[in-house]
Amino acid sequence: MALSIPVVWTDAHRLHNPETAVWIGVPIPTDELPERAEAIRSALKDAGAPIVPTAAHPDEPMLAVHKPELVEFLRGAWDAWASSELPADPVQPDVVGYIFPTPGFLGGIEPRVPTALSARTGAYCYDTMTVVADGTWEAARAAVDAALTAADLVLGGKPAAYACCRPPGHHVTRGAFGGSCYLNNSAVAAQYLRDGGFARVAVLDLDAHHGNGAQAIFWERGDVLTGSLHVDPARGWFPHFLGFADERGSEAGEGLNLNVPLEPGSGDDVWLAGVEQLVAAARTHRSEALVVPLGVDAGAGDPNSPLQVTEEGFREAGRRLGTLGLPTVFVQEGGYVLDTIGPLVRATLEGFERGATS
Ligand SMILES: [Zn+2]
């Protein structure tokens, strides 16, 4: 049977294509490539899914989640960098940070925003690998629009919609970007569903890495449950500093942040038990709508994660999410193997449709 979940698409993702990322100070080839989204679209088109163009949205839904300073920095960063001396001396074509206002450095004092362009990035970006290149802003902003278009479809009565977007977003907090992400597409969609009338929303993140962005954004919120299933950060995986099981939320959000860290090498059985924990939490929360930051880098063979989930595992995860019977927005996050990224997303969405109709 043909896949009926609409696939929201924008060509603007191609504008984000930096030549290099920087990792531990060394320029390396980037693997968050335009070919990723193209491969997914192709697999979903083959499955019969309708392709829906992204509609432009005003800034307000994005600013409901992100600080205006972060948005303004991203909007102007590359132009400012490109027109400075930095691309010629010391020859850094893209925006990259070098000094960061860590708590130990500040000693409790509120930091100023640096006047030097070379330092200002550290006020908004928390790592040195997530460069802002020519076209990054346009692509990241269009990815937000794709997530919002998918949310519009669900608010309009579609049982589910999928935003086929990049760059990804789930590592971005209210005021800081990193982890190859710039704007938190899935968190924007979750807040938009709240504002659109769903009283309680669940964000259940299947990417192989901790969804630290939604955790931070909704930490004190009772109306948005955040759950994340990921490789144990204590075993040497991004985002290293966060993503542990004892991070449970506070204030009205006490107990409504659920982290399920997994041992490297975990396969379908262990991973699906984690999916079941997230699904059970959404039931307890009585969530009325669901956002799934859908990274497929937990798939076996992905160089960015040691998890070993199969295509059948993703299909079963989709089925279990579908049994919640909730209006659902899927938003693309990680997944870096061009041969398998499409089939894994397809399997998840097909599983979801099976679960939702059984
Ligand atoms: Zn990831």
Side-chain angles (χ1 to χ4, degrees):
M1 213 169 71
L3 188 61
S4 63
I5 294 178
V7 174
V8 179
W9 176 259
T10 168
D11 288 343
H13 81 85
R14 296 171 188 153
L15 298 170
H16 175 64
N17 191 16
E19 276 176 34
T20 55
V22 180
W23 193 67
I24 54 169
V26 181
I28 58 166
T30 178
D31 56 6
E32 202 288 280
L33 295 165
E35 288 82 352
R36 299 174 57 247
E38 306 290 334
I40 298 169
R41 181 178 72 157
S42 160
L44 299 181
K45 215 173 164 201
D46 288 350
I51 310 289
V52 177
T54 290
H57 287 69
D59 283 349
E60 280 70 25
M62 176 174 59
L63 293 171
V65 158
H66 288 307
K67 289 184 176 172
E69 304 92 286
L70 168 68
V71 170
E72 288 319 305
F73 174 78
L74 286 168
R75 200 191 301 272
W78 194 80
D79 283 348
W81 193 275
S83 60
S84 76
E85 75 281 8
L86 296 163
D89 179 14
V91 192
Q92 174 48 268
D94 300 323
V95 183
V96 61
Y98 90 97
I99 179 168
F100 301 93
T102 60
F105 167 39
L106 297 173
I109 299 169
E110 186 66 23
R112 311 292 173 91
V113 174
T115 49
L117 181 60
S118 58
R120 198 180 306 146
T121 310
Y124 306 103
C125 183
Y126 57 76
D127 67 31
T128 56
M129 72 179 185
T130 308
V131 305
V132 178
D134 188 12
T136 297
W137 162 255
E138 289 78 7
R141 185 64 185 79
V144 168
D145 280 336
L148 288 169
T149 304
D152 277 333
L153 290 168
V154 163
L155 286 166
K158 289 278 183 202
Y162 164 73
C164 187
C165 54
R166 60 171 287 282
H170 75 141
H171 292 307
V172 186
T173 66
R174 220 167 251 293
F177 68 99
S180 303
C181 300
Y182 302 88
L183 294 165
N184 198 322
N185 312 312
S186 20
V188 173
Q191 182 62 47
Y192 192 67
L193 292 176
R194 271 291 292 114
D195 293 337
F198 293 110
R200 287 174 303 282
V201 176
V203 180
L204 304 183
D205 188 320
L206 298 189
D207 188 277
H209 305 98
H210 175 228
N212 62 289
Q215 167 172 305
I217 289 166
F218 299 114
W219 184 249
E220 297 184 346
R221 295 268 296 270
D223 54 340
V224 182
L225 167 78
T226 46
S228 178
L229 175 64
H230 48 264
V231 61
D232 187 351
R235 300 295 298 272
W237 294 89
F238 195 91
H240 304 280
F241 294 90
L242 292 167
F244 299 93
D246 60 0
E247 296 157 20
R248 302 277 295 154
S250 71
E251 309 291 330
E254 178 79 50
L256 294 176
N257 184 75
L258 175 63
N259 286 330
V260 185
L262 302 179
E263 286 293 298
S266 296
D268 287 1
D269 288 355
V270 173
W271 190 73
L272 287 169
V275 172
E276 203 51 51
Q277 277 183 263
L278 301 189
V279 167
R283 286 212 171 89
T284 305
H285 182 242
R286 292 182 297 119
S287 307
E288 296 181 355
L290 176 61
V291 174
V292 181
L294 179 61
V296 293
D297 41 8
D302 195 297
N304 289 328
S305 139
L307 300 178
Q308 301 291 330
V309 181
T310 68
E311 187 174 317
E312 282 316 299
F314 277 96
R315 192 177 301 278
E316 177 62 14
R319 193 191 66 77
R320 294 190 192 188
L321 291 169
T323 61
L324 282 169
L326 298 176
T328 299
V329 175
F330 290 91
V331 180
Q332 187 60 42
E333 301 289 351
Y336 301 93
V337 182
L338 294 175
D339 290 343
T340 57
I341 184 170
L344 293 179
V345 172
R346 173 179 173 166
T348 309
L349 299 183
E350 285 176 344
F352 179 87
E353 288 202 329
R354 194 177 310 159
T357 53
S358 61

